[in-house]
Amino acid sequence: MTVPPRVRIVEVSPRDGLQNERATVDVATKLALIDALADAGAVTIEAGSFVAPKWVPQMADTDQVFARLDRRPGVTYQALVPNLQGVERALAAGVDEVAVFAAASETFSRKNTNGSIAEVMQRFLPVAARAQAAGVKVRGYISCVLGCPYEGEIDPAAVVRLAGDLIAMGCYEISLGDTIGVGTPTKARRLVEAVAGEVPIDRLALHFHDTYGQALANIFACLDFGVAVVDSAEAGHGGCPNVKGASGTVAKEDVVYMLHGMGIETGLDLARLCAAGKTISEALGRPTGSRVARAFG
Ligand code: HMG
Ligand code: MG
């Protein structure tokens, strides 16, 4: 098995990890989490989202998070944006990068972004153009790549098409989201293989939620295609607010433990990650979702 020598971990904890939590997390706690991640060696941190506060109240204070960020050299602070209003807020806040998010399922697209897939992609065109004109890079997410909570099976061809369209729009990287964590290793491999026929492998990232406990196996199954970017959240918290029963992305501590054990570098300090996961779990009043963090105590 050939695996990449190094994997870049995209820290989605302050956004994906906190957007669906019942407990209110104040700005100071979010900033402490972001700093702890940077201290642990994180190079890409999704610090929040500039979405409609009515849709996701937990992210309403992202402007304040950016205003008070202790920016570390070499760290890219990214945020999710759904529309022009979002990108304007993001640029005013001084983001390093923005991320747009499409879905491979019509029903999910409407429930998460109040528009059909085509309408949402059309909405992103000026968003990407505005960001690029300001010198800000754009990342693209695709949700429901391995299944939809409303429509079930998703045709990989829909994912391939969207990935190509997002790249054509100027996205530098496509993050493949198994939003509800239903994928299994063979399916995940086939999907990545299909998308890699359209988008160079070094522009693909894996964003696997762990609802069914498959995320680590799915990541492992995709590594030997050369995918070298993995999204994950501290302690496995979070999930998408518009999906019932979906849990967080795979716990970062577990991904890092697996990768380091396979001799793959991440640049991250596992002990510090576990400490950061413990702190945010205490703030949320929830046990950690990381098996590795539990084992380390
Ligand atoms: P809409 O209701 O159609 O928007 O929602 P609208 O344009 O009609 O505006 C309605 C109100 O929202 C207006 O305010 C706007 O000003 C305001 P009002 O006049 O009623 O007072 N508004 C905004 N305010 C601040 N910032 C903005 C903004 N936009 C509108 N950017 C919209 C459409 C896309 C805005 C909405 O559906 C939305 O914000 N959706 C975001 C949902 C979301 O954040 N989901 C979670 C992230 S995606 C995810 O988790 C998946 C991922 O992790 C990958 C994976 O796991 O698969 C990325
Ligand atoms: Mg997600």
Side-chain angles (χ1 to χ4, degrees):
M1 179 180 184
T2 317
V3 292
R6 193 175 175 90
V7 163
R8 180 166 62 88
I9 303 284
V10 175
E11 311 277 345
V12 296
S13 199
R15 194 275 305 168
D16 202 324
L18 300 183
Q19 69 185 4
N20 197 26
E21 289 295 328
R22 267 197 217 109
T24 310
V25 179
D26 60 21
V27 172
T29 305
K30 290 182 178 181
L31 289 167
L33 170 63
I34 293 166
D35 285 348
L37 295 173
D39 288 342
V43 288
T44 311
I45 303 178
E46 198 170 65
S49 65
F50 294 97
V51 299
K54 277 181 199 158
W55 284 67
V56 187
Q58 294 89 336
M59 293 289 116
D61 55 11
T62 297
D63 309 75
Q64 292 169 53
V65 170
F66 271 89
R68 289 167 53 187
L69 262 189
D70 174 18
R71 288 172 189 268
R72 308 289 173 82
V75 178
T76 297
Y77 296 95
Q78 188 194 78
L80 215 63
V81 297
N83 54 17
L84 265 177
Q85 201 175 335
V87 77
E88 291 302 346
R89 284 175 63 202
L91 293 176
V95 295
D96 297 320
E97 274 183 17
V98 293
V100 293
F101 49 109
S105 143
E106 283 296 349
T107 315
F108 185 86
S109 180
R110 287 181 193 283
K111 290 203 185 266
N112 197 40
T113 42
N114 204 21
S116 68
I117 298 173
E119 282 163 354
V120 168
M121 290 296 282
Q122 202 59 32
R123 209 185 273 164
F124 290 157
L125 287 171
V127 172
R130 177 71 182 97
Q132 284 159 336
V136 165
K137 281 166 64 174
V138 184
R139 192 174 198 237
Y141 281 103
I142 306 175
S143 289
C144 299
V145 298
L146 292 171
C148 168
Y150 311 103
E151 296 183 10
E153 290 285 319
I154 292 294
D155 182 358
V159 181
V160 172
R161 245 187 339 265
L162 276 178
D165 290 349
L166 286 166
I167 290 286
M169 198 182 281
C171 292
Y172 75 92
E173 185 169 280
I174 305 300
S175 179
L176 298 170
D178 183 9
T179 319
I180 52 167
V182 286
T184 45
T186 317
K187 241 176 122 180
R189 266 179 84 93
R190 284 203 195 109
L191 177 78
V192 167
E193 198 173 15
V195 180
E198 178 77 22
V199 174
I201 199 82
D202 59 0
R203 295 176 74 175
L204 293 181
L206 307 175
H207 179 108
F208 291 165
H209 285 253
D210 203 26
T211 322
Y212 292 82
Q214 303 297 301
L216 271 188
N218 293 345
I219 291 168
F220 176 78
C222 297
L223 283 175
D224 73 340
F225 278 124
V227 183
V229 185
V230 176
D231 300 357
S232 65
E234 220 51 37
H237 294 315
C240 185
N242 301 307
V243 183
K244 277 203 186 94
S247 66
T249 60
V250 57
K252 180 168 333 113
E253 300 91 321
D254 297 5
V255 176
V256 169
Y257 180 88
M258 178 181 83
L259 295 175
H260 288 182
M262 293 171 70
I264 299 172
E265 282 178 35
T266 65
L268 290 163
D269 179 326
L270 184 54
R272 282 179 181 232
L273 285 182
C274 288
K278 194 167 178 216
T279 306
I280 193 63
S281 299
E282 282 166 6
L284 293 169
R286 283 185 51 176
T288 181
S290 161
R291 305 281 287 266
V292 167
R294 279 207 294 274
F296 282 176

